[in-house]
Amino acid sequence: MIQVGTLTSLGSLKAVRMHDVLRDFSISKGREESFLEIYSGQEIESPTSQRTKCRRLAIHGEHDNMYVFLKQYAPYLRSLLFFNTEHSELDFGFKDFKLLRVLDGVFFPSRALSDVGKLIQLRYLGVLMRYDAIQGRFRLRLEPQSIGKLKTLPRSIGKLKNLQTLEVTNFTDQCSRVSWKSKNMRHFVGVKSAAVMNSRLVFSNNLRTLKPVMGGRWVEDGRLANLTNLQRLKIMLSVQEELNSLVPNIERLHCLESLSLVFSSFNPIILPTAISLSHLEHLQKLSLDGEIKKLPDPHQFPPNLVKLTLKASYLEEDSIIKLERLPNLKMLLLGYCSYNWTKLVCSSSEGFPQLHIYIYNFYMIWRS
C-alpha cells in the first residue's frame, strides 16, 4: 500500500507513493477527525461547522471569495497550503490566523503578507514570485503606486521569532529591509542577494541550511564561520577575493554535509591549489560550478565524499587520475565544459573503487 516514490542521488528515500484506496481512506479519516481538508477545482463548497474546525487545509486551483471561505477556518488552522494558484490574488491579510504554524504557496506581491508578522506561531513560510511565462519576466500585479512598497518582503517578517524555515522562490533582493535576529531559524532557502546577506540579517548557530547566497562582506566579517552547525551551503562567488576569504571560513564548518560553490563566468576565479577540505569528515556532496582547471590533490578532498559534481570546470587532462583515487566516491557528474578532452582514461584497474553512477556532459543531454 505504501511504495517507494523517488530516491535521492545517494539512494536514500525522498518520497513515497500511496495506493489510491489507502489515500481515499486517509483523506476520509482525516476529515472525520478534523485533521485534514483538501479542496480542489474551481468551486469551493460551503463547509459545515464541523469541517471548519479542521487543523490542516490544502487549497488546489483558483477560487473566488477566498477570504470569506478561509475566515471560517481561521480560529483552528495550524497549516495552510496553496497549490496551483498562480493567477489568484489573496487580497487579504492573515491577522486572524493566530495559530498558524505552516504557510506555503503564497505568491508575492500580495496583501496576504501584509500581516505576516502577526503570525507569532509560524514555523514555516514558503513564498513564491509571480512569473509571466508569456512575457518572460517577473511581474508585479499591483497598481503602479503600490509597486515601490512591495519590492521586498515586509519588515514584519523580522517579528517571527519562532520561524524555523523561510523558503523563497525566484527572489533576489527580498529581505534587505528586514532587521532580524532569529534564534530558531534552521533553513534559509532562496535568498541570493549580496545586499540581503550584507544587511542586518543575523543568524544563530542553529542554522542548518543556507542556499543559495552570495559571497561578500558578511563572509569576511565572520558571520559564516559562526554557523558551526551548518549542514548544507550553496554560495555564489563573483570575484577571486570572495573565494579567498571564503576558504578559511569553511574550515570551521565541521558539520557540513553538502557544499556547492558557484564561480562567476564573467570574472575568472581559480580554485587555490592549497585549498583543503580534508577536515570536513561529514561532507558527502560537493559541487563546483565554474573554471577550476587544476583540481586539489586527492588527500585534500573530504575523506567521505560520495557525490562530486563539476560544471564548466575546464579540467586538465590528467585530472581524472586524481578523481579515481577518491576512495568513497560513488557518483561522479561531469557537466557541460567540465572535461573537454576526447579521452577519459583511468591510470589503473583499481581506480574509482566504489563508483556506481557516472554521468558525462549531462547538461547537453538534458538540453536535447
Side-chain angles (χ1 to χ4, degrees):
M1 302 296 280
I2 301 293
Q3 301 173 345
V4 175
T6 57
L7 300 174
T8 67
S9 57
L10 299 181
S12 58
L13 185 63
K14 185 175 184 179
V16 298
R17 290 197 302 265
M18 183 182 294
H19 192 281
D20 56 352
V21 174
L22 182 59
R23 177 183 180 276
D24 293 342
F25 172 77
S26 300
I27 293 175
S28 175
K29 192 65 175 177
R31 180 177 294 126
E32 179 183 329
E33 298 292 335
S34 298
F35 179 82
L36 172 68
E37 280 283 355
I38 300 176
Y39 286 94
S40 59
Q42 294 297 319
E43 297 183 0
I44 293 182
E45 59 189 84
S46 298
T48 63
S49 58
Q50 177 62 30
R51 295 178 71 175
T52 58
K53 296 181 180 180
C54 174
R55 298 185 296 277
R56 294 164 184 84
L57 184 62
I59 306 292
H60 292 258
E62 303 168 18
H63 308 278
D64 297 327
N65 301 319
M66 184 72 78
Y67 179 62
V68 176
F69 167 76
L70 287 178
K71 190 174 182 179
Q72 305 171 75
Y73 289 88
Y76 306 99
L77 272 185
R78 266 70 164 179
S79 177
L80 179 56
L81 312 177
F82 294 96
F83 298 92
N84 305 319
T85 57
E86 58 268 15
H87 298 297
S88 62
E89 293 285 355
L90 299 179
D91 195 22
F92 60 88
F94 286 104
K95 61 181 179 179
D96 298 324
F97 297 77
K98 300 296 185 181
L99 300 179
L100 205 61
R101 294 191 173 203
V102 176
L103 177 60
D104 192 21
V106 179
F107 276 85
F108 179 82
S110 169
R111 284 186 57 190
L113 291 175
S114 60
D115 298 318
V116 70
K118 298 178 180 179
L119 304 179
I120 59 175
Q121 300 296 333
L122 205 63
R123 266 63 167 176
Y124 179 98
L125 176 60
V127 185
L128 305 172
M129 180 65 157
R130 297 185 184 281
Y131 184 75
D132 193 329
I134 298 177
Q135 298 182 11
R137 60 181 174 82
F138 293 110
R139 61 180 177 180
L140 300 177
R141 298 183 62 192
L142 296 174
E143 295 299 323
Q145 61 269 23
S146 302
I147 292 177
K149 299 179 181 179
L150 288 177
K151 286 193 295 187
T152 61
L153 292 181
R155 294 181 181 179
S156 62
I157 285 184
K159 299 178 181 179
L160 301 177
K161 302 301 183 181
N162 292 311
L163 195 65
Q164 297 180 0
T165 300
L166 175 62
E167 185 164 353
V168 200
T169 303
N170 294 332
F171 276 78
T172 56
D173 195 22
Q174 67 279 15
C175 297
S176 57
R177 298 187 307 160
V178 177
S179 179
W180 193 1
K181 295 183 179 180
S182 176
K183 297 181 180 180
N184 296 306
M185 182 65 70
R186 299 292 190 275
H187 309 284
F188 197 67
V189 181
V191 181
K192 53 184 177 181
S193 169
V196 172
M197 300 311 299
N198 291 330
S199 67
R200 293 169 290 177
L201 212 57
V202 179
F203 298 111
S204 73
N205 62 359
N206 290 321
L207 197 68
R208 300 294 192 272
T209 304
L210 184 59
K211 63 178 185 179
V213 293
M214 294 291 296
R217 188 178 66 252
W218 71 281
V219 177
E220 299 175 9
D221 293 344
R223 278 190 278 167
L224 176 61
N226 291 333
L227 305 179
T228 53
N229 289 308
L230 199 63
Q231 296 176 348
R232 289 170 290 277
L233 171 65
K234 180 177 182 179
I235 186 166
M236 297 177 287
L237 309 167
S238 56
V239 293
Q240 184 70 43
E241 289 73 17
E242 290 182 352
L243 176 61
N244 296 340
S245 64
L246 175 68
V247 172
N249 283 274
I250 289 180
E251 293 179 355
R252 296 182 57 181
L253 305 180
H254 294 281
C255 294
L256 269 185
E257 298 176 1
S258 175
L259 173 63
S260 179
L261 304 180
V262 182
F263 308 140
S264 171
S265 58
F266 301 102
N267 300 311
I269 298 178
I270 305 301
L271 193 69
T273 55
I275 186 174
S276 177
L277 303 175
S278 59
H279 61 288
L280 300 177
E281 297 181 355
H282 298 285
L283 190 64
Q284 292 187 309
K285 298 181 181 180
L286 176 62
S287 176
L288 302 175
D289 187 345
E291 189 171 351
I292 299 174
K293 291 188 176 179
K294 189 176 181 63
L295 286 172
D297 292 329
H299 68 274
Q300 295 174 299
F301 278 90
N304 295 307
L305 187 64
V306 175
K307 178 182 178 180
L308 176 62
T309 303
L310 300 172
K311 305 175 186 177
S313 305
Y314 296 94
L315 296 176
E316 295 179 349
E317 190 172 10
D318 62 351
S319 298
I320 299 302
I321 298 178
K322 295 182 177 181
L323 295 180
E324 70 176 3
R325 294 166 57 188
L326 299 179
N328 296 302
L329 190 64
K330 296 181 179 180
M331 189 172 187
L332 175 62
L333 285 77
L334 297 180
Y336 180 66
C337 289
S338 59
Y339 187 83
N340 293 339
W341 303 93
T342 56
K343 292 183 179 180
L344 194 153
V345 181
C346 297
S347 62
S348 69
S349 59
E350 298 179 356
F352 296 110
Q354 295 198 48
L355 192 66
H356 291 169
I357 300 175
Y358 164 65
I359 303 177
Y360 176 59
N361 219 7
F362 60 89
Y363 175 78
M364 295 298 291
I365 295 174
W366 177 81
R367 285 292 299 272
S368 63

